[in-house]
Amino acid sequence: MFFERPGGGERAILVHLEGQDPAVREDPEEFQELARSAGAESVGFVNVARHQPSAKFLIGSGKVEELHDLVKDAEAELVIFNHTLTPSQERNLERALECRVLDRTGLILDIFAQRARTHEGKLQVELAQLEHMSTRLVRGWTHLERQKGGIGLRGPGETQLETDRRLLRVRIRQIKQRLEKVRGQREQARRGRRRADIPSVSLVGYTNAGKSTLFNALTEADVYAANQLFATLDPTLRRIELGDVGPVVLADTVGFIRHLPHKLVESFRATLEESSNADLLLHVIDAHEPERDQQIEQVLAVLGEIGAHELPMLEVYNKVDLLEGIEPQIQRDADGRPQRVWVSARDGLGLDLLRQAIAELLGNDLFVGTLRLPQQLGRLRAQLFQVGAVQQESHDEQGGSLLQVRVPRVELHRLVSRAGFQPNEFLEQHTLQ
């Protein structure tokens, strides 16, 4: 008997397993929000208490029969599981339920496919989808497994399944090559910013924590922001001015989620590198979310996967307007460095405090002050002008230069050392208090 894969639809029954190991347990409310974000019309929610998942269906055969009846009664076109299904489990469930079955990874991929706007974003989603599909390709082509024989039917010796697998591999290779090119272009842009000494700040956080709203509030941009999961897929970069620090590049990135499919992390590596190469991470946290501690853990886990877990980080507790008795404020560590800022991006509360905290953290490696250079240090003066460190110049009564400078300490120490001085002693003698 041939197995033709059922078509999809919008009317969906959601299936959630309870009683699993807390480390792999999913959140049922987040699951329903994911389904809504994908455009599914939920016509039923089934909680399954099962401690030992079944190899054939994930759930028990009795529950499968119950689900089959529910699908018929509700005229559902789709059953979505809040868990990862193996290809064989998905195929077995579709046969038994006589409708399309989707797991959590497939659901997230579908949302990403709807949200991708740029060419790069679409390529990244397609790559993740193709890699997901390649393990499930067998199901739709079981009737073409055998090579045909006889006069007029002899082919090149390749089944339709093998042909499709080969075409998939070719397409995946093409997309990876294109994304590698995008990766190179992004790296080139980052090198240009580093040469210009422009620090970069990247917004990271759980999906729907308010990153895009905060980004718009800080940059006066018009990035799409909505109360839905994965509203932002494509990274957006804007330049802002911050007090003593000067120009800063701010990047808005894709949100993370509990058990983010590894295929997505791999596919979006070019995008996520904006975070792994930042000078400072702003970890945006939904302060009103009951499970915010678990969400923080998930974000830190993904940052570990992309090699960004050791970067300097400032926690931004957003949505303070929804909390009682909490005012916008900066909380500092034992050394007095900003560690946490409480803000409301929607209402614009605490944004000045956030700018101040960012400037403090980025400005630690900057020298901002006035240098008095006698005439015999004219060469050092010229070099400071050459690297763009001088903001203003005046002269004292002896004809020496008074330079207001803003320059990375590393660069200043290099120039002073080259002039034959010990950097710290030189700065003590030549800096106006």
Side-chain angles (χ1 to χ4, degrees):
M1 181 179 170
F2 298 154
F3 171 58
E4 293 288 355
R5 189 162 192 207
E10 305 292 317
R11 293 173 62 81
I13 290 173
L14 311 182
V15 180
H16 173 75
L17 262 69
E18 289 287 356
Q20 284 193 313
D21 176 1
V24 297
R25 181 183 170 275
E26 306 294 358
D27 179 6
E29 289 182 13
E30 183 178 87
F31 176 40
Q32 292 179 72
E33 186 58 40
L34 275 172
R36 275 196 296 274
S37 294
E41 180 194 342
S42 176
V43 292
F45 188 91
V46 179
N47 250 323
V48 181
R50 189 169 182 85
H51 295 275
Q52 192 61 43
S54 135
K56 186 175 182 181
F57 293 121
L58 185 72
I59 57 178
S61 53
K63 210 66 177 174
V64 171
E65 289 177 21
E66 194 180 310
L67 256 180
H68 180 267
D69 294 340
L70 189 56
V71 166
K72 292 299 177 196
D73 293 343
E75 297 181 356
E77 303 153 306
L78 178 66
V79 173
I80 308 174
F81 278 73
N82 193 20
H83 309 275
T84 302
L85 297 171
T86 65
S88 61
Q89 284 172 341
E90 219 169 282
R91 187 166 62 249
N92 293 336
L93 284 163
E94 286 187 347
R95 277 204 183 102
L97 300 177
E98 299 178 67
C99 74
R100 185 83 181 268
V101 172
L102 201 63
D103 69 353
R104 181 182 172 85
T105 301
L107 178 62
I108 293 174
L109 283 171
D110 186 79
I111 297 171
F112 272 51
Q114 292 180 45
R115 301 277 192 274
R117 294 287 180 270
T118 64
H119 177 62
E120 179 196 349
K122 289 173 182 175
L123 280 178
Q124 290 173 139
V125 171
E126 186 183 352
L127 176 61
Q129 285 181 319
L130 290 177
E131 290 184 330
H132 183 66
M133 188 195 304
S134 62
T135 61
R136 288 155 163 75
L137 195 61
V138 63
R139 76 179 62 207
W141 295 109
T142 49
H143 59 297
L144 296 172
E145 284 280 17
R146 294 185 184 83
Q147 296 171 17
K148 292 181 179 178
I151 297 170
L153 294 174
R154 294 184 182 93
E158 185 175 50
T159 65
Q160 181 66 47
L161 176 59
E162 287 167 343
T163 303
D164 273 40
R165 279 188 173 147
R166 179 170 52 79
L167 292 173
L168 264 183
R169 283 196 300 272
V170 169
R171 179 63 180 156
I172 286 172
R173 191 164 62 246
Q174 287 173 342
I175 293 175
K176 283 184 174 177
Q177 287 169 351
R178 288 193 196 176
L179 286 175
E180 201 56 44
K181 189 176 177 184
V182 170
R183 203 170 172 176
Q185 290 167 342
R186 286 191 178 281
E187 181 54 38
Q188 195 173 1
R190 281 193 291 268
R191 280 199 300 269
R193 292 199 296 270
R194 281 197 291 269
R195 279 197 299 271
D197 285 323
I198 299 176
S200 61
V201 177
S202 184
L203 294 169
V204 297
Y206 208 78
T207 182
N208 207 28
K211 293 183 298 301
S212 295
T213 306
L214 182 62
F215 182 85
N216 288 337
L218 288 172
T219 63
E220 297 180 3
D222 192 23
V223 169
Y224 178 66
N227 184 24
Q228 58 187 20
L229 303 184
F230 301 117
T232 302
L233 273 198
D234 305 305
T236 309
L237 281 74
R238 291 287 187 276
R239 190 164 163 154
I240 61 173
E241 292 287 332
L242 278 183
D244 291 335
V245 178
V248 172
V249 171
L250 191 65
D252 186 20
T253 58
V254 61
F256 304 150
I257 196 168
R258 187 182 277 103
H259 303 143
L260 188 68
H262 192 71
K263 293 182 183 69
L264 281 176
V265 176
E266 279 298 312
S267 303
F268 277 76
R269 188 163 293 280
T271 299
L272 293 171
E273 278 181 352
E274 288 296 342
S275 298
S276 59
N277 287 282
D279 295 292
L280 175 67
L281 297 179
L282 296 189
H283 181 182
V284 184
I285 299 162
D286 183 348
H288 188 249
E289 169 59 47
E291 295 197 357
R292 73 184 186 200
D293 291 341
Q294 291 90 325
Q295 292 186 356
I296 291 170
E297 283 177 26
Q298 294 299 324
V299 171
L300 296 179
V302 178
L303 289 175
E305 280 193 57
I306 62 173
H309 56 295
E310 292 184 354
L311 291 176
M313 183 184 295
L314 175 66
E315 292 180 347
V316 182
Y317 278 72
N318 189 25
K319 307 186 184 180
V320 72
D321 52 296
L322 301 177
L323 301 175
E324 289 184 13
I326 302 287
E327 293 294 323
Q329 59 184 293
I330 298 177
Q331 293 180 338
R332 300 175 183 273
D333 61 15
D335 299 323
R337 287 167 57 86
Q339 184 179 27
R340 189 175 295 125
V341 185
W342 296 76
V343 303
S344 169
R346 189 189 66 180
D347 295 350
L349 302 174
L351 296 185
D352 288 341
L353 295 175
L354 177 58
R355 290 189 187 95
Q356 177 192 329
I358 296 171
E360 282 185 44
L361 292 171
L362 290 177
N364 276 351
D365 294 327
L366 281 177
F367 175 84
V368 180
T370 303
L371 292 178
R372 178 191 280 124
L373 300 185
Q375 290 180 353
Q376 58 265 36
L377 292 181
R379 183 168 180 170
L380 178 57
R381 170 190 170 277
Q383 289 174 334
L384 288 168
F385 270 101
Q386 194 174 356
V387 297
V390 180
Q391 295 183 306
Q392 196 173 328
E393 182 182 24
S394 57
H395 299 278
D396 61 15
E397 294 172 359
Q398 289 78 37
S401 298
L402 298 176
L403 304 178
Q404 286 184 24
V405 298
R406 185 179 64 81
V407 60
R409 282 186 182 273
V410 174
E411 181 71 12
L412 181 59
H413 286 188
R414 184 179 66 80
L415 294 175
V416 169
S417 300
R418 192 185 287 175
F421 297 96
Q422 289 294 325
N424 291 333
E425 290 179 16
F426 178 88
L427 292 177
E428 281 179 21
Q429 293 172 12
H430 293 81
T431 304
L432 283 181
Q433 300 300 320

